């Protein structure tokens, strides 16, 4: 029963978080349009690999940082810096890329490693899991332990993979409608990361 509830909670929370526009799911759409569904699935596999560990870290921190709130500010500062750097990079890509490249299959191993790299840069994941699990602990729906954290991470990995796979599946079917959006994808990603980064900066100040 504990196994099923932990897996289900992980799946629902991760799926809910993946629905919200972020640079990960927008990258899946962009990658699927440019490189095909197979490469996109390997990209998602890279995401899922890192997300599994990020969910574990978030669960662990939820049992530690709730008693040591001074560490949260330090984490927010580092995360804010990364977000602002990502935003500048996406704006650079948007203004230096003149047109959408033709669809070109990318090697599966490179797509997987690219997914790992992108997911490692995702500063939203650990704070998201930390906040969500802390909320569940407060409601007494979740009790931290190594096994419960492992079960939760399995569910969250499955939830994230499922949602990202849907993005990859439907993106090619509506390619013509998404072509314009794809050409503006770096601008959208830059705005998203920039807004969140500036918001965090103002909050810290």
């Amino acid at each position: 029963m504990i196994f099923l509830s932990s897996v289900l909670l992980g799946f629902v929370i991760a799926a809910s978080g993946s629905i919200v526009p972020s640079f990960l799911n927008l990258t899946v759409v962009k990658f699927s349009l440019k490189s095909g569904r197979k490469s996109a699935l390997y990209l998602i596999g890279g995401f899922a690999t890192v997300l599994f560990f990020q969910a574990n870290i978030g669960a662990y921190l939820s049992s530690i940082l709730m008693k040591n709130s001074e560490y949260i500010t330090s984490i927010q500062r580092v995360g804010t810096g990364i977000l602002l750097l990502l935003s500048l990079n996406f704006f650079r890509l948007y203004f230096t890329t003149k047109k959408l490249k033709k669809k070109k299959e990318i090697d599966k191993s490179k797509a997987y490693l690219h997914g790992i790299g992108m997911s490692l840069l995702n500063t939203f994941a650990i704070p998201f899991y930390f906040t969500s699990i802390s909320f569940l602990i407060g409601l007494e729906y979740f009790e931290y332990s190594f096994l419960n954290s492992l079960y939760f991470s399995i569910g969250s990995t499955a939830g994230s993979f499922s949602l990202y796979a849907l993005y990859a599946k439907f993106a090619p079917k509506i390619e013509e409608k998404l072509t314009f959006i794809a050409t503006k994808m770096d601008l959208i990603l830059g705005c998203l990361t920039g807004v969140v980064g500036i918001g965090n900066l103002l909050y810290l100040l």
Side-chain angles (χ1 to χ4, degrees), residues 56-77:
N56 268 292
I57 294 172
Y60 175 74
L61 291 178
S62 67
S63 65
I64 301 298
L65 295 185
M66 291 178 71
K67 300 177 182 179
N68 300 277
S69 59
E70 66 273 13
Y71 294 138
I72 298 177
T73 301
S74 298
I75 293 174
Q76 287 178 324
R77 288 174 181 170

Side-chain angles (χ1 to χ4, degrees), residues 11-195:
F11 186 95
V12 172
I13 288 175
S16 300
S18 300
I19 292 174
V20 179
S22 69
F23 80 91
L24 287 185
N25 48 33
L26 291 177
T27 298
V28 170
V29 174
K30 178 180 177 181
F31 210 85
S32 183
L33 289 173
K34 292 175 65 177
S35 304
R37 184 182 173 189
K38 285 187 177 180
S39 291
L41 289 176
Y42 278 89
L43 175 80
I44 296 167
F47 288 172
T49 300
V50 176
L51 285 170
F52 174 83
F53 294 102
Q54 288 175 329
N56 268 292
I57 294 172
Y60 175 74
L61 291 178
S62 67
S63 65
I64 301 298
L65 295 185
M66 291 178 71
K67 300 177 182 179
N68 300 277
S69 59
E70 66 273 13
Y71 294 138
I72 298 177
T73 301
S74 298
I75 293 174
Q76 287 178 324
R77 288 174 181 170
V78 174
T80 298
I82 294 174
L83 281 173
L84 293 176
L85 289 174
L86 280 173
S87 180
L88 291 174
N89 181 60
F90 284 127
F91 283 128
R92 179 188 64 81
L93 291 173
Y94 173 72
F95 288 111
T96 56
T97 302
K98 301 299 181 182
K99 61 181 180 178
L100 184 66
K101 296 180 180 179
K102 292 183 178 180
K103 195 171 184 180
K104 181 181 179 182
E105 189 75 19
I106 295 178
D107 183 77
K108 297 178 180 61
S109 62
K110 292 182 180 179
Y112 178 76
L113 293 175
H114 185 71
I116 290 178
M118 289 294 293
S119 195
L120 286 172
L121 291 174
N122 178 25
T123 58
F124 298 101
I126 293 177
F128 171 74
Y129 285 118
F130 163 73
T131 303
S132 300
I133 295 173
S134 297
F135 183 71
L136 292 175
I137 291 175
L139 294 176
E140 298 184 353
Y141 288 149
F142 185 84
E143 182 178 354
Y144 177 80
S145 70
F146 175 79
L147 284 178
N148 287 350
S149 177
L150 178 64
Y151 301 152
F152 182 92
S153 298
I154 292 172
S156 64
T157 301
S160 296
F161 190 94
S162 298
L163 262 293
Y164 290 138
L166 287 177
Y167 277 99
K169 178 180 180 180
F170 290 111
K173 294 183 179 180
I174 53 175
E175 182 173 356
E176 292 183 3
K177 295 181 180 180
L178 289 178
T179 297
F180 175 76
I181 298 177
T183 61
K184 305 293 182 183
M185 197 66 72
D186 289 318
L187 178 62
I188 295 172
L189 296 173
C191 290
L192 283 173
T193 52
V195 168

